[in-house]
């Protein structure tokens, strides 16, 4: 299957990510709500993209570090956050360039579902967290795979692709589906305690023009699944 190379569409993705429903008014606000008060905390933004979440966390008083596999995304994040920001090109599938217990919180926003194997990445995220630190992660909701691929099995760990549009450009994404139990088993095997599993509403200030008419008065739908995990 094709891989998703963000260097190829970084500008289009970043522009759309700022304002669209799923990222700008659903996923990012939900992550910020789950993190709560972050002033004075050291936070690692794993897969930071162009840096909108890092910027929001810094505005709330956190000390931010971030990395992304895409050099183009890191260039955009540096443009936003400044040349002195601690931003690096790194791969979550490899050992991370940070010391043990360096962070109070790690955010993995829509990152883990790009990986077939979670064992090494979760071990690394656990390593760079202080004891009692938190990993806040968002992933594709596992119910989406059988909706998009009715011929597939919910209980498989399997790769699949789909198309999405960003700022007028069609992009093919390739992700890994996992059933919920495979996710929770991976978290606990890595030494995390599951504190929260969340299926939140969209932000209260979401512009009405962005809300699909078929939602009616509903403000919750299945798109992403959110976890707060505590490092043991």
């Amino acid at each position: 299957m094709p891989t998703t190379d963000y260097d190829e569409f970084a500008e289009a993705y970043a522009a759309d990510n700022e304002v669209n429903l799923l990222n700008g008014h659903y996923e990012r606000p939900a992550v910020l709500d789950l993190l709560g008060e972050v002033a004075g905390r050291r936070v690692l933004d794993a897969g930071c993209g162009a840096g909108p979440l890092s910027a929001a966390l810094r505005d709330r008083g956190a000390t931010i570090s971030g990395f992304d596999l895409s050099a183009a995304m890191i260039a955009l994040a540096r443009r936003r956050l400044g040349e002195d920001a601690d931003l690096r090109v790194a791969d979550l599938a490899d050992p991370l360039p940070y010391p043990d217990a360096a962070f109070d919180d790690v955010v993995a926003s829509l990152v883990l579902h790009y990986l077939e194997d979670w064992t090494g990445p979760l071990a690394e995220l656990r390593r760079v967290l202080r004891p009692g630190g938190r990993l806040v992660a968002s992933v594709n909701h596992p119910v989406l795979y059988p909706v998009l691929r009715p011929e597939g099995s919910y209980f498989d760990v399997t790769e699949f692709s789909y198309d999405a549009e960003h700022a007028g450009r069609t992009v093919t994404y390739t992700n890994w589906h996992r059933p919920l139990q495979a996710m929770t088993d991976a978290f606990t095997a890595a030494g995390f305690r599951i504190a929260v599993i969340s299926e939140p509403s969209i932000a209260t200030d979401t512009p009405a023009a962005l809300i699909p008419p078929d939602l009616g008065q509903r403000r919750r739908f299945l798109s992403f699944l959110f976890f707060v995990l505590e490092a043991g």
Side-chain angles (χ1 to χ4, degrees):
M1 287 190 179
T3 58
T4 308
D5 184 356
Y6 277 84
D7 284 347
E8 295 180 355
F9 59 95
E11 293 275 2
Y13 178 85
D16 189 41
N17 182 281
E18 298 288 331
V19 298
N20 68 18
L21 175 64
L22 290 181
N23 299 105
H25 297 280
Y26 174 56
E27 194 273 342
R28 193 156 54 248
V31 168
L32 291 169
D33 285 347
L34 289 170
L35 280 165
E37 178 59 57
V38 294
R41 296 177 72 86
R42 304 161 299 165
V43 182
L44 175 63
D45 189 354
C48 63
L53 182 57
S54 289
L57 291 168
R58 189 174 69 175
D59 289 346
R60 296 179 179 209
T63 299
I64 292 296
S65 298
F67 71 89
D68 200 276
L69 181 61
S70 166
M73 285 293 193
I74 288 295
L76 292 174
R78 196 170 298 284
R79 185 190 308 171
R80 179 197 300 267
L81 297 168
E83 288 301 317
D84 60 342
D86 180 17
L87 298 169
R88 313 184 194 194
V89 177
D91 189 342
L92 184 54
D94 297 330
L96 297 178
Y98 308 101
D100 295 355
F103 300 101
D104 300 301
D105 300 300
V106 173
V107 181
S109 171
L110 304 179
V111 172
L112 290 171
H113 52 229
Y114 288 97
L115 303 173
E116 178 181 8
D117 181 11
W118 286 14
T119 304
L122 288 177
E124 277 295 282
L125 295 179
R126 172 65 188 84
R127 179 185 66 79
V128 302
L129 274 170
R130 65 168 176 79
R134 300 176 299 171
L135 169 59
V136 176
S138 58
V139 295
N140 286 336
H141 200 294
V143 78
L144 293 182
Y145 173 70
V147 171
L148 294 173
R149 297 287 187 273
E151 73 282 4
S153 170
Y154 170 84
F155 295 101
D156 289 342
V157 175
T158 187
E159 192 178 30
F160 70 106
S161 292
Y162 57 94
D163 291 340
E165 185 172 299
H166 299 291
R169 175 167 180 171
T170 300
V171 174
T172 298
Y173 287 94
T174 299
N175 293 160
W176 283 87
H177 162 73
R178 278 175 170 74
L180 178 59
Q181 184 172 348
M183 297 182 195
T184 58
D185 285 351
F187 294 144
T188 55
F192 289 102
R193 185 184 75 84
I194 300 169
V196 176
I197 300 176
S198 179
E199 297 170 318
S201 302
I202 59 176
T204 57
D205 61 353
T206 301
L210 292 180
I211 301 173
D214 59 359
L215 278 182
Q217 297 302 309
R218 292 180 292 119
R219 294 299 179 265
R220 300 178 73 188
F221 50 84
L222 295 176
S223 180
F224 305 127
L225 191 60
F226 300 78
F227 300 89
V228 178
L229 310 167
E230 296 176 350

